[in-house]
Amino acid sequence: MAEEIKANVTLNLEGLMCPMPVVRISKAIKDVVVGEVIEATATDPGVLIDIPAWARTTGNEVIKIEREGKIVHFFVRRLK
Amino acid sequence: MVKEKGNGTTIIVMSGDMDKAIAAFNIAVGAAAADKETNMFFTFWGIKAIQKGNFTGKSLFGRMIGLLNRGGISRIGPSRFNMFGLGRWMFKVMMKNKNIPSLEELRQTALDLGVKLWPCQMSLEVMEIKADDLIEGVQDSCGVAAMLEMSDRSKQTLFI
């Protein structure tokens, strides 16, 4: 990682399947203020497409999302 | 986050099949998680998904339907491979092993996220199902005008 992303909240979504990861993220994003970042890990590979789609629909930002073996690791910033 | 007007999701649930009910609740939960105003309108066989599961019906035919259609959401079988309940049990086991939320969990999640579940008054009437036979948290029964109004506020209207 070239630069460290600072997360305000960390979420473990490992083991959860569709639609629970987006449910948990949408709940978590309401608990942070605008500009804050949620870091999460998941094992559902669908999350790679689903979280960016959810972010576009809700107007939030996926700073980074990548697969690290079986884990999908991502950062979401609340924008509104 | 404010729900945008005219950006909702309306799902009409006509099917009483497990697979289709899972799809309907899954979409509803996804829409609600994306902050869309989400309404589900349950009609005909779909009503079973919001029944408590007790016996229903008054007349002979009504009680026959109540007997054949008893058990509520946990007794909903898949549209294929049900095999008198064996298929239902098989799918439940497979879903559980893969940590996929059950219909009951999906329905509870939908309610927790503010999805509104509307029973169709005409279906309740025909099948002799009373408001008391429906689970806690459902809306008042309504008809096609209410459903169309929900649809007017939605970007997607799905019929399942």
Side-chain angles (χ1 to χ4, degrees), chain A residues 20-50:
Chain A
M20 298 322 285
V22 288
V23 171
R24 295 282 297 276
I25 284 289
S26 79
K27 279 183 182 163
I29 204 109
K30 292 182 177 82
D31 293 333
V32 299
V33 298
V34 172
E36 285 191 328
V37 174
I38 299 170
E39 176 180 11
T41 53
T43 46
D44 174 7
V47 157
L48 278 169
I49 308 285
D50 263 20

PDB file of all heavy atoms in Angstrom, chain A residues 20-50:
ATOM      1  N   MET A  20     -26.637  -9.667   2.966  1.00  0.00           N
ATOM      2  CA  MET A  20     -26.263  -9.146   4.279  1.00  0.00           C
ATOM      3  C   MET A  20     -25.078  -8.157   4.270  1.00  0.00           C
ATOM      4  O   MET A  20     -25.106  -7.186   5.027  1.00  0.00           O
ATOM      5  CB  MET A  20     -26.014 -10.298   5.261  1.00  0.00           C
ATOM      6  CG  MET A  20     -27.248 -11.173   5.515  1.00  0.00           C
ATOM      7  SD  MET A  20     -28.805 -10.283   5.591  1.00  0.00           S
ATOM      8  CE  MET A  20     -28.657  -9.529   7.195  1.00  0.00           C
ATOM      9  N   PRO A  21     -24.034  -8.351   3.439  1.00  0.00           N
ATOM     10  CA  PRO A  21     -22.960  -7.349   3.451  1.00  0.00           C
ATOM     11  C   PRO A  21     -23.446  -5.919   3.163  1.00  0.00           C
ATOM     12  O   PRO A  21     -23.064  -4.984   3.881  1.00  0.00           O
ATOM     13  CB  PRO A  21     -22.001  -7.856   2.375  1.00  0.00           C
ATOM     14  CG  PRO A  21     -22.196  -9.341   2.380  1.00  0.00           C
ATOM     15  CD  PRO A  21     -23.671  -9.525   2.609  1.00  0.00           C
ATOM     16  N   VAL A  22     -24.313  -5.745   2.158  1.00  0.00           N
ATOM     17  CA  VAL A  22     -24.794  -4.380   1.892  1.00  0.00           C
ATOM     18  C   VAL A  22     -25.712  -3.878   3.011  1.00  0.00           C
ATOM     19  O   VAL A  22     -25.720  -2.687   3.316  1.00  0.00           O
ATOM     20  CB  VAL A  22     -25.504  -4.220   0.519  1.00  0.00           C
ATOM     21  CG1 VAL A  22     -24.517  -4.276  -0.624  1.00  0.00           C
ATOM     22  CG2 VAL A  22     -26.629  -5.172   0.323  1.00  0.00           C
ATOM     23  N   VAL A  23     -26.449  -4.802   3.621  1.00  0.00           N
ATOM     24  CA  VAL A  23     -27.302  -4.402   4.752  1.00  0.00           C
ATOM     25  C   VAL A  23     -26.441  -3.852   5.886  1.00  0.00           C
ATOM     26  O   VAL A  23     -26.711  -2.791   6.448  1.00  0.00           O
ATOM     27  CB  VAL A  23     -28.147  -5.599   5.252  1.00  0.00           C
ATOM     28  CG1 VAL A  23     -28.858  -5.271   6.549  1.00  0.00           C
ATOM     29  CG2 VAL A  23     -29.164  -6.010   4.193  1.00  0.00           C
ATOM     30  N   ARG A  24     -25.359  -4.591   6.196  1.00  0.00           N
ATOM     31  CA  ARG A  24     -24.484  -4.172   7.307  1.00  0.00           C
ATOM     32  C   ARG A  24     -23.762  -2.864   6.991  1.00  0.00           C
ATOM     33  O   ARG A  24     -23.611  -2.001   7.855  1.00  0.00           O
ATOM     34  CB  ARG A  24     -23.498  -5.291   7.623  1.00  0.00           C
ATOM     35  CG  ARG A  24     -24.171  -6.564   8.145  1.00  0.00           C
ATOM     36  CD  ARG A  24     -24.570  -6.435   9.602  1.00  0.00           C
ATOM     37  NE  ARG A  24     -23.402  -6.255  10.431  1.00  0.00           N
ATOM     38  CZ  ARG A  24     -22.648  -7.251  10.881  1.00  0.00           C
ATOM     39  NH1 ARG A  24     -22.995  -8.493  10.613  1.00  0.00           N
ATOM     40  NH2 ARG A  24     -21.575  -7.013  11.602  1.00  0.00           N
ATOM     41  N   ILE A  25     -23.316  -2.721   5.739  1.00  0.00           N
ATOM     42  CA  ILE A  25     -22.645  -1.475   5.352  1.00  0.00           C
ATOM     43  C   ILE A  25     -23.617  -0.296   5.404  1.00  0.00           C
ATOM     44  O   ILE A  25     -23.280   0.787   5.891  1.00  0.00           O
ATOM     45  CB  ILE A  25     -22.031  -1.615   3.930  1.00  0.00           C
ATOM     46  CG1 ILE A  25     -20.751  -2.464   3.987  1.00  0.00           C
ATOM     47  CG2 ILE A  25     -21.731  -0.260   3.300  1.00  0.00           C
ATOM     48  CD1 ILE A  25     -19.580  -1.759   4.667  1.00  0.00           C
ATOM     49  N   SER A  26     -24.835  -0.524   4.945  1.00  0.00           N
ATOM     50  CA  SER A  26     -25.788   0.593   4.935  1.00  0.00           C
ATOM     51  C   SER A  26     -26.164   1.009   6.357  1.00  0.00           C
ATOM     52  O   SER A  26     -26.437   2.181   6.620  1.00  0.00           O
ATOM     53  CB  SER A  26     -27.026   0.245   4.112  1.00  0.00           C
ATOM     54  OG  SER A  26     -27.901  -0.561   4.855  1.00  0.00           O
ATOM     55  N   LYS A  27     -26.155   0.045   7.290  1.00  0.00           N
ATOM     56  CA  LYS A  27     -26.401   0.401   8.700  1.00  0.00           C
ATOM     57  C   LYS A  27     -25.199   1.144   9.273  1.00  0.00           C
ATOM     58  O   LYS A  27     -25.350   2.149   9.958  1.00  0.00           O
ATOM     59  CB  LYS A  27     -26.675  -0.860   9.523  1.00  0.00           C
ATOM     60  CG  LYS A  27     -28.110  -1.349   9.403  1.00  0.00           C
ATOM     61  CD  LYS A  27     -28.335  -2.561  10.292  1.00  0.00           C
ATOM     62  CE  LYS A  27     -29.765  -3.078  10.140  1.00  0.00           C
ATOM     63  NZ  LYS A  27     -29.906  -4.448  10.641  1.00  0.00           N
ATOM     64  N   ALA A  28     -24.012   0.627   8.961  1.00  0.00           N
ATOM     65  CA  ALA A  28     -22.789   1.210   9.530  1.00  0.00           C
ATOM     66  C   ALA A  28     -22.563   2.631   9.041  1.00  0.00           C
ATOM     67  O   ALA A  28     -22.078   3.488   9.783  1.00  0.00           O
ATOM     68  CB  ALA A  28     -21.594   0.315   9.181  1.00  0.00           C
ATOM     69  N   ILE A  29     -22.939   2.895   7.790  1.00  0.00           N
ATOM     70  CA  ILE A  29     -22.649   4.219   7.218  1.00  0.00           C
ATOM     71  C   ILE A  29     -23.489   5.293   7.903  1.00  0.00           C
ATOM     72  O   ILE A  29     -23.116   6.460   7.956  1.00  0.00           O
ATOM     73  CB  ILE A  29     -22.852   4.210   5.672  1.00  0.00           C
ATOM     74  CG1 ILE A  29     -22.023   5.307   5.005  1.00  0.00           C
ATOM     75  CG2 ILE A  29     -24.303   4.389   5.297  1.00  0.00           C
ATOM     76  CD1 ILE A  29     -20.864   4.838   4.214  1.00  0.00           C
ATOM     77  N   LYS A  30     -24.628   4.873   8.472  1.00  0.00           N
ATOM     78  CA  LYS A  30     -25.479   5.846   9.168  1.00  0.00           C
ATOM     79  C   LYS A  30     -24.906   6.183  10.542  1.00  0.00           C
ATOM     80  O   LYS A  30     -25.308   7.167  11.149  1.00  0.00           O
ATOM     81  CB  LYS A  30     -26.898   5.292   9.303  1.00  0.00           C
ATOM     82  CG  LYS A  30     -27.580   5.194   7.951  1.00  0.00           C
ATOM     83  CD  LYS A  30     -29.009   4.683   8.057  1.00  0.00           C
ATOM     84  CE  LYS A  30     -29.688   4.661   6.695  1.00  0.00           C
ATOM     85  NZ  LYS A  30     -29.373   3.486   5.877  1.00  0.00           N
ATOM     86  N   ASP A  31     -23.990   5.356  11.022  1.00  0.00           N
ATOM     87  CA  ASP A  31     -23.398   5.587  12.343  1.00  0.00           C
ATOM     88  C   ASP A  31     -22.107   6.390  12.288  1.00  0.00           C
ATOM     89  O   ASP A  31     -21.505   6.659  13.325  1.00  0.00           O
ATOM     90  CB  ASP A  31     -23.131   4.238  13.036  1.00  0.00           C
ATOM     91  CG  ASP A  31     -24.428   3.520  13.373  1.00  0.00           C
ATOM     92  OD1 ASP A  31     -25.447   4.217  13.555  1.00  0.00           O
ATOM     93  OD2 ASP A  31     -24.427   2.280  13.444  1.00  0.00           O
ATOM     94  N   VAL A  32     -21.637   6.721  11.071  1.00  0.00           N
ATOM     95  CA  VAL A  32     -20.457   7.583  10.974  1.00  0.00           C
ATOM     96  C   VAL A  32     -20.897   8.921  10.389  1.00  0.00           C
ATOM     97  O   VAL A  32     -21.962   9.018   9.784  1.00  0.00           O
ATOM     98  CB  VAL A  32     -19.342   6.943  10.099  1.00  0.00           C
ATOM     99  CG1 VAL A  32     -18.869   5.636  10.695  1.00  0.00           C
ATOM    100  CG2 VAL A  32     -19.787   6.765   8.662  1.00  0.00           C
ATOM    101  N   VAL A  33     -20.070   9.963  10.598  1.00  0.00           N
ATOM    102  CA  VAL A  33     -20.442  11.264  10.041  1.00  0.00           C
ATOM    103  C   VAL A  33     -19.867  11.378   8.627  1.00  0.00           C
ATOM    104  O   VAL A  33     -18.989  10.603   8.235  1.00  0.00           O
ATOM    105  CB  VAL A  33     -19.940  12.440  10.929  1.00  0.00           C
ATOM    106  CG1 VAL A  33     -20.581  12.374  12.299  1.00  0.00           C
ATOM    107  CG2 VAL A  33     -18.431  12.459  11.025  1.00  0.00           C
ATOM    108  N   VAL A  34     -20.379  12.348   7.868  1.00  0.00           N
ATOM    109  CA  VAL A  34     -19.936  12.555   6.488  1.00  0.00           C
ATOM    110  C   VAL A  34     -18.424  12.787   6.474  1.00  0.00           C
ATOM    111  O   VAL A  34     -17.896  13.554   7.279  1.00  0.00           O
ATOM    112  CB  VAL A  34     -20.697  13.752   5.860  1.00  0.00           C
ATOM    113  CG1 VAL A  34     -20.118  14.099   4.489  1.00  0.00           C
ATOM    114  CG2 VAL A  34     -22.183  13.408   5.730  1.00  0.00           C
ATOM    115  N   GLY A  35     -17.754  12.083   5.603  1.00  0.00           N
ATOM    116  CA  GLY A  35     -16.292  12.206   5.490  1.00  0.00           C
ATOM    117  C   GLY A  35     -15.557  11.076   6.168  1.00  0.00           C
ATOM    118  O   GLY A  35     -14.394  10.815   5.856  1.00  0.00           O
ATOM    119  N   GLU A  36     -16.225  10.386   7.085  1.00  0.00           N
ATOM    120  CA  GLU A  36     -15.556   9.283   7.783  1.00  0.00           C
ATOM    121  C   GLU A  36     -15.534   8.020   6.927  1.00  0.00           C
ATOM    122  O   GLU A  36     -16.308   7.876   5.978  1.00  0.00           O
ATOM    123  CB  GLU A  36     -16.242   9.007   9.128  1.00  0.00           C
ATOM    124  CG  GLU A  36     -15.912  10.068  10.176  1.00  0.00           C
ATOM    125  CD  GLU A  36     -16.358   9.697  11.591  1.00  0.00           C
ATOM    126  OE1 GLU A  36     -17.387   9.004  11.757  1.00  0.00           O
ATOM    127  OE2 GLU A  36     -15.674  10.137  12.530  1.00  0.00           O
ATOM    128  N   VAL A  37     -14.637   7.128   7.302  1.00  0.00           N
ATOM    129  CA  VAL A  37     -14.365   5.955   6.469  1.00  0.00           C
ATOM    130  C   VAL A  37     -14.636   4.662   7.244  1.00  0.00           C
ATOM    131  O   VAL A  37     -14.302   4.543   8.420  1.00  0.00           O
ATOM    132  CB  VAL A  37     -12.892   5.975   5.995  1.00  0.00           C
ATOM    133  CG1 VAL A  37     -12.531   4.693   5.247  1.00  0.00           C
ATOM    134  CG2 VAL A  37     -12.641   7.190   5.100  1.00  0.00           C
ATOM    135  N   ILE A  38     -15.266   3.716   6.555  1.00  0.00           N
ATOM    136  CA  ILE A  38     -15.476   2.376   7.116  1.00  0.00           C
ATOM    137  C   ILE A  38     -14.550   1.413   6.386  1.00  0.00           C
ATOM    138  O   ILE A  38     -14.489   1.410   5.158  1.00  0.00           O
ATOM    139  CB  ILE A  38     -16.931   1.920   6.930  1.00  0.00           C
ATOM    140  CG1 ILE A  38     -17.888   2.873   7.642  1.00  0.00           C
ATOM    141  CG2 ILE A  38     -17.124   0.499   7.435  1.00  0.00           C
ATOM    142  CD1 ILE A  38     -19.343   2.612   7.308  1.00  0.00           C
ATOM    143  N   GLU A  39     -13.838   0.624   7.157  1.00  0.00           N
ATOM    144  CA  GLU A  39     -13.007  -0.423   6.580  1.00  0.00           C
ATOM    145  C   GLU A  39     -13.703  -1.753   6.842  1.00  0.00           C
ATOM    146  O   GLU A  39     -14.207  -1.985   7.937  1.00  0.00           O
ATOM    147  CB  GLU A  39     -11.624  -0.421   7.252  1.00  0.00           C
ATOM    148  CG  GLU A  39     -10.721  -1.536   6.776  1.00  0.00           C
ATOM    149  CD  GLU A  39      -9.351  -1.509   7.461  1.00  0.00           C
ATOM    150  OE1 GLU A  39      -9.198  -0.751   8.444  1.00  0.00           O
ATOM    151  OE2 GLU A  39      -8.463  -2.227   6.995  1.00  0.00           O
ATOM    152  N   ALA A  40     -13.760  -2.607   5.826  1.00  0.00           N
ATOM    153  CA  ALA A  40     -14.453  -3.885   6.033  1.00  0.00           C
ATOM    154  C   ALA A  40     -13.763  -5.014   5.296  1.00  0.00           C
ATOM    155  O   ALA A  40     -13.085  -4.805   4.287  1.00  0.00           O
ATOM    156  CB  ALA A  40     -15.908  -3.780   5.583  1.00  0.00           C
ATOM    157  N   THR A  41     -13.950  -6.209   5.837  1.00  0.00           N
ATOM    158  CA  THR A  41     -13.498  -7.414   5.144  1.00  0.00           C
ATOM    159  C   THR A  41     -14.686  -8.343   4.973  1.00  0.00           C
ATOM    160  O   THR A  41     -15.551  -8.435   5.838  1.00  0.00           O
ATOM    161  CB  THR A  41     -12.400  -8.145   5.948  1.00  0.00           C
ATOM    162  OG1 THR A  41     -12.879  -8.355   7.276  1.00  0.00           O
ATOM    163  CG2 THR A  41     -11.107  -7.366   5.981  1.00  0.00           C
ATOM    164  N   ALA A  42     -14.730  -9.023   3.827  1.00  0.00           N
ATOM    165  CA  ALA A  42     -15.834  -9.936   3.543  1.00  0.00           C
ATOM    166  C   ALA A  42     -15.280 -11.150   2.817  1.00  0.00           C
ATOM    167  O   ALA A  42     -14.173 -11.111   2.271  1.00  0.00           O
ATOM    168  CB  ALA A  42     -16.884  -9.234   2.686  1.00  0.00           C
ATOM    169  N   THR A  43     -16.075 -12.229   2.805  1.00  0.00           N
ATOM    170  CA  THR A  43     -15.654 -13.423   2.070  1.00  0.00           C
ATOM    171  C   THR A  43     -16.564 -13.715   0.879  1.00  0.00           C
ATOM    172  O   THR A  43     -16.230 -14.547   0.045  1.00  0.00           O
ATOM    173  CB  THR A  43     -15.634 -14.656   2.993  1.00  0.00           C
ATOM    174  OG1 THR A  43     -16.841 -14.671   3.750  1.00  0.00           O
ATOM    175  CG2 THR A  43     -14.443 -14.614   3.936  1.00  0.00           C
ATOM    176  N   ASP A  44     -17.711 -13.030   0.817  1.00  0.00           N
ATOM    177  CA  ASP A  44     -18.611 -13.200  -0.323  1.00  0.00           C
ATOM    178  C   ASP A  44     -17.973 -12.504  -1.532  1.00  0.00           C
ATOM    179  O   ASP A  44     -17.863 -11.288  -1.555  1.00  0.00           O
ATOM    180  CB  ASP A  44     -19.966 -12.573   0.014  1.00  0.00           C
ATOM    181  CG  ASP A  44     -20.924 -12.564  -1.167  1.00  0.00           C
ATOM    182  OD1 ASP A  44     -20.589 -13.164  -2.206  1.00  0.00           O
ATOM    183  OD2 ASP A  44     -22.004 -11.959  -1.045  1.00  0.00           O
ATOM    184  N   PRO A  45     -17.565 -13.276  -2.584  1.00  0.00           N
ATOM    185  CA  PRO A  45     -16.892 -12.633  -3.719  1.00  0.00           C
ATOM    186  C   PRO A  45     -17.798 -11.665  -4.474  1.00  0.00           C
ATOM    187  O   PRO A  45     -17.303 -10.759  -5.168  1.00  0.00           O
ATOM    188  CB  PRO A  45     -16.484 -13.816  -4.608  1.00  0.00           C
ATOM    189  CG  PRO A  45     -17.259 -14.988  -4.138  1.00  0.00           C
ATOM    190  CD  PRO A  45     -17.659 -14.734  -2.717  1.00  0.00           C
ATOM    191  N   GLY A  46     -19.129 -11.806  -4.332  1.00  0.00           N
ATOM    192  CA  GLY A  46     -20.071 -10.893  -4.980  1.00  0.00           C
ATOM    193  C   GLY A  46     -19.917  -9.460  -4.511  1.00  0.00           C
ATOM    194  O   GLY A  46     -20.300  -8.518  -5.209  1.00  0.00           O
ATOM    195  N   VAL A  47     -19.335  -9.300  -3.335  1.00  0.00           N
ATOM    196  CA  VAL A  47     -19.122  -7.984  -2.740  1.00  0.00           C
ATOM    197  C   VAL A  47     -18.285  -7.080  -3.648  1.00  0.00           C
ATOM    198  O   VAL A  47     -18.492  -5.870  -3.697  1.00  0.00           O
ATOM    199  CB  VAL A  47     -18.444  -8.193  -1.356  1.00  0.00           C
ATOM    200  CG1 VAL A  47     -17.678  -6.985  -0.902  1.00  0.00           C
ATOM    201  CG2 VAL A  47     -19.491  -8.597  -0.323  1.00  0.00           C
ATOM    202  N   LEU A  48     -17.372  -7.681  -4.418  1.00  0.00           N
ATOM    203  CA  LEU A  48     -16.505  -6.912  -5.325  1.00  0.00           C
ATOM    204  C   LEU A  48     -17.315  -6.053  -6.294  1.00  0.00           C
ATOM    205  O   LEU A  48     -16.908  -4.951  -6.653  1.00  0.00           O
ATOM    206  CB  LEU A  48     -15.625  -7.875  -6.139  1.00  0.00           C
ATOM    207  CG  LEU A  48     -14.353  -8.381  -5.450  1.00  0.00           C
ATOM    208  CD1 LEU A  48     -13.741  -9.516  -6.257  1.00  0.00           C
ATOM    209  CD2 LEU A  48     -13.341  -7.246  -5.272  1.00  0.00           C
ATOM    210  N   ILE A  49     -18.443  -6.557  -6.731  1.00  0.00           N
ATOM    211  CA  ILE A  49     -19.304  -5.809  -7.651  1.00  0.00           C
ATOM    212  C   ILE A  49     -20.399  -5.089  -6.866  1.00  0.00           C
ATOM    213  O   ILE A  49     -20.787  -3.969  -7.204  1.00  0.00           O
ATOM    214  CB  ILE A  49     -19.970  -6.770  -8.668  1.00  0.00           C
ATOM    215  CG1 ILE A  49     -18.931  -7.658  -9.362  1.00  0.00           C
ATOM    216  CG2 ILE A  49     -20.812  -6.002  -9.676  1.00  0.00           C
ATOM    217  CD1 ILE A  49     -18.105  -6.984 -10.409  1.00  0.00           C
ATOM    218  N   ASP A  50     -20.893  -5.748  -5.805  1.00  0.00           N
ATOM    219  CA  ASP A  50     -22.060  -5.241  -5.084  1.00  0.00           C
ATOM    220  C   ASP A  50     -21.797  -3.963  -4.295  1.00  0.00           C
ATOM    221  O   ASP A  50     -22.631  -3.065  -4.283  1.00  0.00           O
ATOM    222  CB  ASP A  50     -22.577  -6.322  -4.121  1.00  0.00           C
ATOM    223  CG  ASP A  50     -23.729  -7.099  -4.731  1.00  0.00           C
ATOM    224  OD1 ASP A  50     -23.855  -7.057  -5.971  1.00  0.00           O
ATOM    225  OD2 ASP A  50     -24.494  -7.724  -3.981  1.00  0.00           O
TER     226      ASP A  50
END
